């Protein structure tokens, strides 16, 4: 059974940094993984994704240049380094993983099979 466990969320002041981690267990293969977020009263939105190889990365325009996604395939863990955080980054951040190989639609939530329970990120003004 595949499980995703996020960690690293917390409270930070605007301009600060946080690093989220997502550890995948129960899968012998490496698939593309992504980060999504949902703020109160808003729909879930794409943040970033990384291909199974780690070579290709993708970002929402709102985080480009501030967030960096990376992965350690050996331990099947994906990271999201977040810098220059803004109050509008406040949300629950979810990690997601595919169960198939496809080089497109990384920003589409329903293209991911497995989801973590989320970790809260709060950025104070």
């Amino acid at each position: 059974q595949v499980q995703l466990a996020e960690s690293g969320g917390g409270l930070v002041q605007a301009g600060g940094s946080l690093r989220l981690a997502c550890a995948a267990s129960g899968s012998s293969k490496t698939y593309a993984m992504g980060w999504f977020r949902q703020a109160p009263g808003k729909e879930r939105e794409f943040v970033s994704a990384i291909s199974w190889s780690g070579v290709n990365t993708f970002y929402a325009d709102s985080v480009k240049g501030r967030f960096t996604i990376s992965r350690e395939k050996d331990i099947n863990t994906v990271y999201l380094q977040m810098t220059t955080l803004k109050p509008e980054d406040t949300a629950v951040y979810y990690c997601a993983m595919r169960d198939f190989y496809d080089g497109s639609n990384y920003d589409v939530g329903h293209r991911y099979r497995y989801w973590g329970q989320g970790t809260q990120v709060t950025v104070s003004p």
Side-chain angles (χ1 to χ4, degrees), residues 4-9 18-24 30-36 46-52 54 56-59 63 66-83 93-96 119 121:
L4 304 180
E6 301 105 332
S7 61
L18 282 175
R19 189 176 83 152
L20 305 183
C22 174
T30 303
Y31 295 104
M33 296 181 72
W35 288 95
F36 292 75
F46 168 75
V47 176
S48 181
I50 188 165
S51 62
W52 71 270
N56 299 305
T57 58
F58 308 87
Y59 298 95
V63 306
R66 300 188 297 122
F67 291 10
T68 303
I69 192 170
S70 61
R71 72 184 306 161
E72 288 189 63
K73 288 194 289 183
D74 290 349
I75 57 173
N76 218 358
T77 297
V78 171
Y79 303 97
L80 185 68
Q81 179 68 50
M82 306 185 294
T83 63
Y93 284 70
Y94 296 93
C95 172
T119 185
V121 172

Side-chain angles (χ1 to χ4, degrees), residues 36 44-46 96-98 105-115:
F36 292 75
R44 183 182 64 194
E45 65 175 359
F46 168 75
M97 187 174 79
R98 289 183 168 180
N105 300 121
Y106 288 98
D107 59 343
V108 179
H110 67 254
R111 300 288 283 179
Y112 294 82
R113 170 75 181 276
Y114 304 103
W115 291 82

